[in-house]
Amino acid sequence: MVASDWPAAEPIETYRLLLEPLRVEHAEEMAPLLHDERLHEFIGGEPVDLARLRARYARQVVGHSPDGVQGWLNWIVRHRRSGRAVGTVQATVRLDGDDRIAELAWVVAAPEQGRGYAVEAALGMAGWLDRQAVRRLIAHVHPDHRASARVAERLGMHATGVLVDGELRWATP
C-alpha cells in the first residue's frame, strides 16, 4: 500500500465519548493532561513539553509513515457531555500479506482513569477499524499493567507470551 491508500481518521461516537481526529492544535489542551509522571509508570519515558508534543502531533497528523508502509490513525478522546479531553487512542495500520493489521494504544489522563473510558474508546476505535477492513489487532502491554490488560481482553485479544521491549504482546486470533 502507498500512503494515499491508508484510511484517514474520522470522528467516532460512543455512548459517552467522542473520538476526535488528532490536530496539531490539540497539543495545547493535551500537554497538561499528558504531563503526569503517573502515566509513565508502565510505558516508560517521561512527560514531554508543549513544543515536543506539538512536534509529535505534527508528524502524526500526516497519517502515514514517511515511507508510506504504515497508516497512522490518532484520536483525542473527549467526554461527550462536558467536551473535556480525557485521553487518546491510536492505531498504526500495516499490511501482513494482504491483511490489514493494527497495533493499538490508549492513554487516559490519570484523574480520569477507572471510569471505563479506555475500554469504551478502544472498542469504538476497533469497530471503526473493522469497517475499514482491519481484521487483526495487536497491543503491547506492560506485564504488570492490569488495567491495560483488561482493555486488551475486552477487545478480544489474548496474551501471546511474546515480550517486546519489556511489554507483553496481545493479539486477536
Side-chain angles (χ1 to χ4, degrees):
M1 289 191 100
V2 296
S4 61
D5 292 335
W6 294 117
E10 299 172 336
I12 301 169
E13 291 188 30
T14 69
Y15 181 70
R16 298 178 298 166
L17 304 173
L18 171 64
L19 281 60
E20 183 177 299
L22 181 70
R23 296 189 321 267
V24 175
E25 300 80 39
H26 285 128
E28 283 76 14
E29 179 180 15
M30 295 304 298
L33 295 177
L34 299 176
H35 202 276
D36 188 321
E37 294 289 338
R38 294 172 290 180
L39 295 178
H40 299 273
E41 178 181 353
F42 294 110
I43 63 173
E46 58 189 41
V48 297
D49 62 23
L50 177 58
R52 288 194 297 173
L53 187 60
R54 204 180 279 129
R56 177 187 303 163
Y57 285 2
R59 287 187 306 274
Q60 291 174 330
V61 298
V62 171
H64 56 82
S65 61
D67 60 8
V69 300
Q70 296 178 339
W72 294 342
L73 302 163
N74 295 272
W75 291 268
I76 299 300
V77 179
R78 291 191 183 285
H79 190 271
R80 284 177 63 174
R81 188 170 296 141
S82 71
R84 77 182 183 281
V86 298
T88 65
V89 291
Q90 65 184 51
T92 300
V93 182
R94 62 180 168 82
L95 288 178
D96 183 12
D98 290 331
D99 298 326
R100 286 182 178 181
I101 64 174
E103 293 201 27
L104 308 183
W106 46 85
V107 174
V108 173
E112 304 293 345
Q113 292 176 2
R115 297 182 173 128
Y117 293 152
V119 169
E120 187 173 333
L123 284 170
M125 176 177 56
W128 184 87
L129 288 166
D130 184 63
R131 293 187 295 278
Q132 310 307 310
V134 176
R135 302 291 182 238
R136 217 166 126 232
L137 306 176
I138 296 170
H140 293 91
V141 176
H142 188 284
D144 296 330
H145 198 320
R146 284 301 311 145
S148 277
R150 284 191 296 275
V151 174
E153 289 169 348
R154 290 288 306 274
L155 290 167
M157 295 183 193
H158 302 280
T160 66
V162 175
L163 282 176
V164 178
D165 295 328
E167 294 184 318
L168 183 59
R169 178 178 288 164
W170 289 71
T172 54

